């Protein structure tokens, strides 16, 4: 059974800092991995999708990497802004199975 | 990009009544839709998976008679919370994926249910 963990559970940084969020999964036979952002009381917004054959994906200030062999993915946020404050969730999908979500990392970027 | 619309965004009802939440894919055919429940400051808990034209597959511990899911078309799935009780109060989120190779998961904005 796939299990997904995220470290840290919460993170508070001053504006402008670069930061890394971590996602770990136990079953490396994944189909894809997706990073989401959730604002309080809102749904999820997809940030980046990495297919199993890919090593990383980039969108603007965001870069997500995937290392299947070690069961890890990282989300790198460059030059953080107060508007980046949200909960970040990673979700892993194995072949023929549903997405399994991590517990999320609550990020606060202080002005 | 793919858009999923969820309605209503907020609903308050009395205990014992039933509430229906709709999830629509606006610009793609959603072969599979998922319903999640989220407790405060917790991650998403998958409740059920529905495929168009077939019965939903419920996760262990989710009462199928309590949470009725219908996926009658490729663009619409509904979740009905029957005989709602205060413990059913929660944030319910749907997501949809198409049959394309990328299988990107697109989420609705969520529905906040409060049962008095």
């Amino acid at each position: 059974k796939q299990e997904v963990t995220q470290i840290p559970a919460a993170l508070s940084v001053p504006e402008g800092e670069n930061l890394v969020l971590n996602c770990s999964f136990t079953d490396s036979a994944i189909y894809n991995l997706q990073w989401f952002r959730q604002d309080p009381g809102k749904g999820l917004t997809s940030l980046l999708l990495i297919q199993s054959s890919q090593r990383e994906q980039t969108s603007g200030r965001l870069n997500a990497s995937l290392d299947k062999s070690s069961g890890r993915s990282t989300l790198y946020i460059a030059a953080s802004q107060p508007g980046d404050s949200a909960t970040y969730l990673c979700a892993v999908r194995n072949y023929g199975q549903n997405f399994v979500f991590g517990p999320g990392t609550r990020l606060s970027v202080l002005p | 990009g793919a858009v999923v619309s969820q309605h209503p965004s907020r609903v308050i009802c009395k205990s014992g009544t039933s509430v229906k939440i709709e999830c629509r894919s606006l610009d793609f055919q959603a072969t599979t839709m998922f319903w999640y429940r989220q407790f405060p400051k917790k991650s998403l808990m998958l409740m059920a998976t529905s495929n168009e034209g077939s019965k939903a597959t419920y996760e262990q511990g989710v009462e199928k008679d309590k949470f009725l899911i219908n996926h009658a078309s490729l663009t619409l799935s509904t979740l009905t919370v029957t005989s709602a009780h205060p413990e059913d109060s929660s944030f319910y989120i749907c997501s949809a994926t198409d049959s394309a190779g990328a299988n990107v998961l697109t989420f609705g904005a969520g529905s906040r249910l409060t049962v008095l």
Side-chain angles (χ1 to χ4, degrees):
Chain A
K1 179 183 176 184
Q2 179 72 273
E3 294 183 2
V4 182
T5 56
Q6 290 186 246
I7 294 174
L11 180 64
S12 184
V13 299
E15 182 177 5
E17 273 204 7
N18 302 323
L19 56 99
V20 176
L21 307 181
N22 298 290
C23 173
S24 297
F25 46 95
T26 54
D27 184 350
S28 62
I30 67 170
Y31 182 57
N32 60 34
L33 181 147
Q34 198 165 349
W35 281 94
F36 295 90
R37 167 188 174 138
Q38 185 178 29
D39 294 287
K42 303 291 184 181
L44 277 68
T45 300
S46 178
L47 298 174
L48 290 165
L49 169 73
I50 308 178
Q51 300 294 348
S52 62
S53 59
Q54 298 174 325
R55 294 294 295 256
E56 67 176 345
Q57 283 287 333
T58 298
S59 176
R61 295 182 293 109
L62 305 179
N63 176 276
S65 67
L66 173 64
D67 184 345
K68 281 198 311 179
S69 61
S70 65
R72 294 179 182 176
S73 176
T74 62
L75 178 66
Y76 175 82
I77 302 177
S80 59
Q81 303 171 357
D84 294 331
S85 298
T87 296
Y88 290 81
L89 296 149
C90 74
V92 176
R93 189 177 195 186
N94 287 74
Y95 290 91
Q97 298 180 23
N98 296 315
F99 288 88
V100 177
F101 281 82
T105 294
R106 292 193 308 278
L107 172 65
S108 296
V109 181
L110 307 174
Chain B
V3 178
V4 172
S5 173
Q6 191 171 338
H7 177 81
S9 59
R10 292 179 180 273
V11 56
I12 300 174
C13 69
K14 292 182 179 180
S15 185
T17 60
S18 294
V19 174
K20 180 184 285 187
I21 301 170
E22 293 187 349
C23 181
R24 293 180 184 273
S25 57
L26 299 185
D27 51 2
F28 67 101
Q29 293 187 328
T31 52
T32 306
M33 287 186 168
F34 305 90
W35 287 95
Y36 297 85
R37 181 172 181 176
Q38 187 176 36
F39 294 97
K41 297 185 179 181
K42 300 290 184 182
S43 191
L44 280 72
M45 180 191 79
L46 179 65
M47 298 174 66
T49 303
S50 71
N51 293 295
E52 184 267 337
S54 61
K55 290 184 177 181
T57 301
Y58 289 80
E59 296 299 301
Q60 189 174 9
V62 178
E63 300 176 60
K64 59 181 64 177
D65 295 329
K66 175 73 165 177
F67 300 100
L68 300 179
I69 293 173
N70 182 279
H71 192 165
S73 76
L74 283 171
T75 59
L76 174 64
S77 177
T78 60
L79 167 67
T80 301
V81 183
T82 62
S83 186
H85 289 95
E87 58 264 32
D88 298 324
S89 298
S90 193
F91 192 59
Y92 294 89
I93 310 177
C94 73
S95 68
T97 185
D98 60 16
S99 57
N103 285 150
V104 175
L105 200 59
T106 304
F107 280 82
S111 300
R112 171 74 60 193
L113 170 63
T114 302
V115 184
L116 303 177

